[in-house]
Amino acid sequence: MYLSNYHSHCTFCDGRSYPEDFVKFAISKGVKSYGFTSHAPLPFETFWTMKHDDVNEYFQEITRLKEKYGDRIELYCGLETDYLNEEHHAGIDYFANLPYDYLISSIHYISHPVTGELMGIDGPYSEFEEAVNRVFRGSIEDVIRSFLVQSMKMVKTGGFHIVGHVDKIYMNGGKFPGFYDHQALIDELMDKLLLEIQKKNLILEINTKSLLSQQMTFPNQRYFNRILELNIPVTINCDSHYPHHVLQGKAEAVGLLKSLGLTHTMELKKGAWEVHKL
Ligand SMILES: [Zn+2]
Ligand SMILES: [Zn+2]
């Protein structure tokens, strides 16, 4: 197994430790390639995204660490960007002018198709439930549709390398009454989304953040066979917010995928994405 992780947070966003702590821990575990992806700034302030004013310092700090630890680990500086709407996504000029090594694009907010009002999908369940009832008048079906339609727009718009936690709606949505009544709809829209990811030749991350704690991966394991059938390039990411989580769930996910027939992952080596045979 090639020890790597290309999705991680630190004190520049909502990660719980300094970037150097993650690097030291990763080295101690034998990680070969490690990428930071702090949450990129949004058009409005949040507690979990980087501040615009900190972006230069973020790149400077990761560059310093690359120089300091470069003989022991390959370090990369990316960002986790959000597809919010046509005005804010990975492809806008703001990101094009930054010196990143790669970009992840994810969805943490969906907007109501008529009112345009935003709701977070990734916070505590109590906030999710309140927002479904307030913004979407209790319709979990409309939430599912909005999430997957917005995901499709994100993939079609492009401007990034890795699709982040593609079906994260399962996390909170799955706890909302009636969510699984729409399984056929979710599967239909997910299949269209996977086909578009294949067409665009994007890397799909297998996000293992909740694998050990909740037996959940994003994408959901029900799509693993289809992902392998479509031969979509995958990378296995831990979405770490704590240094001791830099490899959490990685070995388990690799084992699971190998048993289903996964033969290769995408890895950053010497600055370029390469096919790595398992
Ligand atoms: Zn995320
Ligand atoms: Zn993340």
Side-chain angles (χ1 to χ4, degrees), residues 7 9 37 39 80 108 165 239 241:
H7 188 157
H9 301 281
T37 49
H39 289 290
E80 183 177 10
H108 303 97
H165 47 69
D239 202 348
H241 289 67

Side-chain angles (χ1 to χ4, degrees), residues 115 120 149 197 209 229 239:
T115 65
V149 165
I197 291 168
K209 186 183 176 194
E229 188 179 83
D239 202 348

Side-chain angles (χ1 to χ4, degrees), residues 10-217:
C10 60
T11 39
F12 279 95
C13 55
D14 61 346
R16 305 304 174 95
S17 218
Y18 294 108
E20 192 155 3
D21 298 335
F22 287 85
V23 175
K24 286 179 180 166
F25 200 86
I27 290 171
S28 78
K29 292 291 167 191
V31 173
K32 292 194 170 80
S33 297
Y34 192 83
F36 288 96
T37 49
S38 277
H39 289 290
L42 284 165
F44 45 86
E45 293 262 312
T46 78
F47 72 89
W48 55 272
T49 48
M50 213 178 346
K51 292 185 172 46
H52 275 104
D53 289 350
D54 291 342
V55 172
N56 283 342
E57 197 186 327
Y58 169 66
F59 283 102
Q60 280 165 15
E61 173 61 2
I62 309 304
T63 301
R64 181 185 76 81
L65 296 173
K66 283 181 184 183
E67 286 161 8
K68 185 171 175 184
Y69 295 99
D71 57 338
R72 280 168 277 176
I73 189 168
E74 289 191 24
L75 293 176
Y76 296 98
C77 194
L79 288 168
E80 183 177 10
T81 59
D82 266 70
Y83 183 94
L84 209 55
N85 49 39
E86 280 86 0
E87 280 80 50
H88 184 92
H89 52 76
I92 60 176
D93 288 347
Y94 173 74
F95 295 119
N97 293 321
L98 294 176
Y100 58 77
D101 293 313
Y102 65 94
L103 296 179
I104 295 178
S105 186
S106 308
I107 287 177
H108 303 97
Y109 285 107
I110 56 171
S111 52
H112 189 280
V114 178
T115 65
E117 198 179 344
L118 291 175
M119 72 164 269
I121 61 112
D122 197 20
Y125 176 70
S126 56
E127 288 175 20
F128 176 86
E129 185 183 33
E130 184 276 326
V132 174
N133 289 326
R134 178 173 45 84
V135 181
F136 282 81
R137 296 179 179 270
S139 172
I140 191 68
E141 182 180 350
D142 288 348
V143 169
I144 291 166
R145 273 187 201 281
S146 294
F147 179 85
L148 289 166
V149 165
Q150 196 171 315
S151 299
M152 182 63 109
K153 285 183 186 167
M154 173 178 92
V155 170
K156 285 192 165 167
T157 304
F160 59 93
H161 307 84
I162 302 175
V163 180
H165 47 69
V166 63
D167 57 5
K168 192 92 189 238
I169 195 66
Y170 273 102
M171 185 184 79
N172 278 325
K175 297 178 192 159
F176 196 92
F179 178 83
Y180 288 104
D181 296 347
H182 307 289
Q183 187 69 67
L185 170 71
I186 302 169
D187 289 348
E188 183 197 325
L189 295 176
M190 271 299 289
D191 203 67
K192 287 184 178 151
L193 188 58
L194 291 174
L195 284 164
E196 192 65 24
I197 291 168
Q198 180 207 42
K199 192 172 136 192
K200 290 280 188 299
N201 203 27
L202 292 167
I203 299 172
L204 178 65
E205 82 167 6
I206 308 292
N207 186 303
T208 64
K209 186 183 176 194
S210 305
L211 179 55
L212 302 184
S213 57
Q214 296 170 67
Q215 285 70 54
M216 284 186 119
T217 53

